[in-house]
Amino acid sequence: MSKEFSTEARGDSKHYKITTAFTNYVFDTIEQADAIIYPSTVNKLKGFNFVLPPYIADQKLQFIAANRRKMSRISTTNYVETEFIESVSVEGDIIVWPLNNI
């Protein structure tokens, strides 16, 4: 199963059927499972992805901030961050951005 979660699936949506079936099985049969974590193949296994059922996200997560990043390509495989804006606050379902960056 680890091979399925660590294989890059870019351009092959059929690959997700196996990992989706496994994820559904875990959440349907293991009551204590709140999340699944697996390596990000897009980032060459340097990062992680988290899978949470919607009810867990609603019960246990709180949205506190957002940020917006603009990236520019500097070569065929490299990007550089050219803009970073962080939200001022979150009011209900509304993200409040700094006035000078709208």
Side-chain angles (χ1 to χ4, degrees):
M1 188 56 64
S2 66
K3 180 180 177 188
E4 292 301 325
F5 276 93
S6 62
T7 301
E8 187 170 342
R10 210 176 275 196
D12 181 12
S13 62
K14 288 183 242 162
H15 173 76
Y16 292 111
K17 289 181 179 181
I18 295 170
T19 54
T20 300
F22 173 76
T23 299
N24 290 338
Y25 172 79
V26 168
F27 290 140
D28 289 345
T29 59
I30 303 173
E31 191 174 319
Q32 303 90 333
D34 286 347
I36 296 173
I37 182 173
Y38 60 94
S40 172
T41 58
V42 173
N43 293 316
K44 298 182 174 49
L45 307 178
K46 293 180 183 175
F48 293 95
N49 294 306
F50 296 87
V51 181
L52 296 95
Y55 74 93
I56 292 293
D58 291 343
Q59 291 174 4
K60 298 188 177 190
L61 298 182
Q62 179 183 4
F63 186 81
I64 58 171
N67 65 59
R68 184 174 62 199
R69 296 169 187 258
K70 183 176 181 179
M71 307 295 285
S72 295
R73 186 189 315 236
I74 58 173
S75 71
T76 56
T77 58
N78 292 313
Y79 292 81
V80 63
E81 184 177 288
T82 57
E83 181 180 67
F84 176 83
I85 302 171
E86 190 162 350
S87 62
V88 174
S89 64
V90 177
E91 299 171 5
D93 292 339
I94 306 296
I95 299 171
V96 181
W97 299 99
L99 290 176
N100 59 347
N101 290 305
I102 294 178

